[in-house]
Amino acid sequence: MKKIIPLVAAVALVGCEQEMVPEASAITCAPVAFQQTISELSRESNRKAFTEACRSFEKAQRMREWEFEPSSPDRY
């Protein structure tokens, strides 16, 4: 029983050290901040998740951009 308690405590501490992947936003996905965040993430899976989140965010931003284009005059 005495050996189980330190093991449980060690497992609990390891679980607390999970690094969080930052949320994708205009600030965190800017080129300089993006490179800094990627270099700070230690796990490859977290780097891939953050990269995909930024790509998705940037794609959504491009879809929201629009420019007014007048329609051609009717020729009936």
Side-chain angles (χ1 to χ4, degrees):
M1 182 71 177
K2 291 182 181 181
K3 292 182 180 180
I4 294 175
I5 293 173
L7 180 63
V8 171
V11 170
L13 288 175
V14 170
C16 293
E17 293 180 15
Q18 290 181 346
E19 65 183 358
M20 300 295 292
V21 177
E23 184 176 338
S25 68
I27 296 170
T28 58
C29 291
V32 174
F34 178 80
Q35 290 300 325
Q36 181 181 3
T37 303
I38 289 293
S39 66
E40 291 173 357
L41 294 172
S42 62
R43 297 179 68 199
E44 182 66 27
S45 61
N46 289 345
R47 286 191 287 261
K48 286 182 180 180
F50 182 66
T51 301
E52 290 301 317
C54 277
R55 285 182 185 163
S56 177
F57 175 78
E58 290 168 354
K59 184 176 180 181
Q61 292 293 73
R62 284 193 304 270
M63 289 176 69
R64 290 183 186 141
E65 294 173 358
W66 65 276
E67 187 175 313
F68 177 74
E69 296 178 14
S71 45
S72 62
D74 291 336
R75 296 183 181 177
Y76 291 109

